[in-house]
Amino acid sequence: MNKNDYKKAMNGLRISEDFIDRTTIKMKEARKEETTMKINPKDNKQSGKNSVVFRRFAVSAASLAVLVAVGTVAFHLPGNGSPEKGNSLKVESIDTGKKTAAGTTTPAGAEATGGITVPTVKLPDSNSAVTARMLPLFVYKGHIYVQSATAFETTDGMTLDKEDVLALRGDFLGKTKGSLNEWSSQKDYDKEFASTIGEGDVYTVKGYDSDHRLMVYYEYEGGGFGCELYDSFGGMTIKTGEDYFKLLNLNGNVASYQWQSFNSWNNGVNDIQKGKDTKALEAFLDSLNTAVPLGENLDMLTENTDYDGQKFVDIKTKDKLVTTLRLFKSGYVYDSQIGFFKVDDKAFQTFWDTMPVTDTADGSVSNGDTSNAALALTLSESSLPVGTKELKATIKNNGSEDVFFGADYSLEKLKGSKWVVVPGMKDMAFIDIAYSVAPGSEQEFTADLSQIKPSLDAGKYRLVKNINGQTFYGEFKLR
């Protein structure tokens, strides 16, 4: 590869849309854990679950902090719209709202009825230190189109079906120019089809308003192709949910849907569940037309992080597109393009209740269908003689992505009705190494019981193991 090839490859790097959300949440959780530990420095009753999770979150937050500082400016922009001369790229200020009696943040303006105006992207001037090339965008008729949160449905998470793409491809409008980079001046952004994405053919999208949604189609040498959707909502005034959601073409167009819990999303487990109540979904989508738009609120976005506080719903439409909505237990819907909407309580709650997430007796979390769990830990034997030197477990990955775990673990013994960490665990040390389990495969994990001093006597125990950010338990007896 030559210098230009490396530059092109680096320009093509993308950070996932939810990168900042995940990292902010983990940093908050790490701080909460750290505060608790400082307040109770002599409390040795902490479970293995707390200590393992804290270490993982603390490392994650520290290693990603620098990227967040960059990503917040370059990726988490509040909207897009026409270029404004003389302005520099910036993140709009966020009203953090107010606290309710229950302690939950309510987005500012919840009582307002005048609607909201979607902020526009502020383009960088030539002296700005911020690089706009990291944001996929192009200019058309004086408006900026930014890569959409809606995507084409794929069979393996990557491969597009060409027939599906061509079925949605409308009229040809022109070709983007790879003319924008961090050194571009304001006049460069005023040119039709100026872009940060290189050269691609721009088309309308059948069934969608071209003022708000277009597609960029690529043909590659050797017969390959690519396609991305781009949206423009900056400067748009939204008085009711219908003003926005009608542009997504969801009502009467649903083919199926799937969902996952907050824990599944937050820990990257991808424990995806198939939606089973299309009627409840349709009623919920109808209620979005009368939803009250509230706009962005960072505190609200990173709160309600208990196991049943949020749910992520992927809505697959008949035209082979997938739109993701983020539901909050208190009756709010978050859309990454616009922000928060307050939804009719009855329709929201009915749909919410069709997606059960249970907190099981052993403290683990399930989406309600354990037969289809994306990740599982199973002990080889549930009853062993005293003096057993090794405890073997199997980690099975039924998900679609690699999962990771370390060499560490904890052991707890049941005393009365409480699980207590065995004394020997405080002297245990583990090598700092990561193991992975590929999708559709399993791997054995061994706990060396011979290293625990004093030795374990007869009783009921459980193995506590952190896998991919989740805590799993395996109960066994020593007889």
Side-chain angles (χ1 to χ4, degrees), residues 22-92:
R22 291 178 190 268
T23 306
T24 303
I25 289 169
K26 290 187 184 295
M27 292 178 76
K28 283 190 173 184
E29 289 173 342
R31 173 168 284 189
K32 287 179 182 179
E33 290 282 351
E34 184 180 33
T35 301
T36 301
M37 295 177 77
K38 285 181 178 179
I39 292 175
N40 303 295
K42 297 182 180 180
D43 184 1
N44 58 8
K45 295 182 180 180
Q46 295 175 341
S47 68
K49 177 179 179 180
N50 287 336
S51 59
V52 171
V53 173
F54 169 71
R55 288 200 300 272
R56 182 181 180 89
F57 283 174
V59 172
S60 297
S63 60
L64 295 178
V66 175
L67 289 176
V68 172
V70 176
T72 302
V73 177
F75 290 88
H76 199 58
L77 297 173
N80 55 79
S82 57
E84 297 183 36
K85 295 183 178 181
N87 289 316
S88 60
L89 182 64
K90 64 180 181 180
V91 176
E92 300 291 336

Side-chain angles (χ1 to χ4, degrees), residues 163-408:
E163 290 185 3
D164 293 341
V165 172
L166 295 181
L168 272 179
R169 195 176 73 176
D171 299 328
F172 175 73
L173 301 178
K175 186 182 289 289
T176 60
K177 308 175 180 68
S179 56
L180 300 179
N181 55 42
E182 64 267 42
W183 299 286
S184 297
S185 64
Q186 182 60 53
K187 65 180 181 180
D188 295 321
Y189 287 91
D190 294 337
K191 296 178 181 178
E192 193 78 335
F193 294 114
S195 82
T196 63
I197 59 176
E199 294 185 356
D201 295 331
V202 180
Y203 291 86
T204 60
V205 184
K206 293 179 182 178
Y208 295 86
D209 189 337
S210 61
D211 286 341
H212 299 287
R213 175 163 289 174
L214 296 173
M215 73 162 62
V216 179
Y217 183 86
Y218 306 91
E219 288 280 1
Y220 303 123
E221 294 183 7
F225 79 102
C227 186
E228 297 167 340
L229 298 177
Y230 284 77
D231 291 341
S232 178
F233 295 106
M236 178 181 176
T237 297
I238 300 175
K239 294 185 177 181
T240 67
E242 183 179 14
D243 293 337
Y244 173 68
F245 288 106
K246 69 180 180 182
L247 300 174
L248 303 185
N249 197 18
L250 298 177
N251 290 86
N253 193 29
V254 175
S256 64
Y257 71 99
Q258 61 186 28
W259 65 278
Q260 64 177 318
S261 66
F262 173 79
N263 272 25
S264 172
W265 170 85
N266 189 46
N267 294 315
V269 176
N270 289 324
D271 187 6
I272 308 297
Q273 307 293 311
K274 291 183 178 180
K276 299 178 180 179
D277 196 334
T278 305
K279 288 185 178 180
L281 172 63
E282 291 286 2
F284 166 71
L285 293 179
D286 286 339
S287 73
L288 292 181
N289 291 328
T290 57
V292 179
L294 304 171
E296 288 282 359
N297 184 289
L298 185 59
D299 284 345
M300 182 70 179
L301 190 63
T302 55
E303 289 183 355
N304 298 308
T305 57
D306 60 294
Y307 74 95
D308 193 31
Q310 301 179 36
K311 292 168 185 173
F312 295 76
V313 182
D314 296 328
I315 302 171
K316 300 181 180 181
T317 49
K318 296 174 183 177
D319 50 15
K320 304 297 183 180
L321 298 182
V322 181
T323 299
T324 300
L325 296 179
R326 185 171 179 175
L327 279 59
F328 287 72
K329 191 174 185 177
S330 48
Y332 296 96
V333 171
Y334 179 79
D335 177 273
S336 61
Q337 304 269 20
I338 307 300
F340 283 94
F341 291 83
K342 182 67 177 74
V343 188
D344 172 74
D345 292 337
K346 183 177 180 180
F348 180 95
Q349 192 63 47
T350 298
F351 180 52
W352 179 275
D353 290 342
T354 67
M355 302 176 286
V357 181
T358 58
D359 191 5
T360 61
D362 64 4
S364 60
V365 176
S366 168
N367 279 357
D369 184 6
T370 55
S371 64
N372 191 37
L375 188 57
L377 179 142
T378 306
L379 297 185
S380 300
E381 296 182 66
S382 59
S383 181
L384 299 163
V386 172
T388 296
K389 295 183 178 181
E390 292 183 336
L391 176 67
K392 294 186 179 296
T394 300
I395 298 171
K396 188 173 183 180
N397 179 10
N398 295 317
S400 58
E401 297 183 3
D402 288 354
V403 299
F404 300 90
F405 64 93
D408 57 310

Side-chain angles (χ1 to χ4, degrees), residues 379 381-386 458-461 475-479:
L379 297 185
E381 296 182 66
S382 59
S383 181
L384 299 163
V386 172
K460 188 173 183 179
Y461 295 84
E475 295 184 11
F476 64 98
K477 291 181 180 180
L478 289 181
R479 60 184 191 277

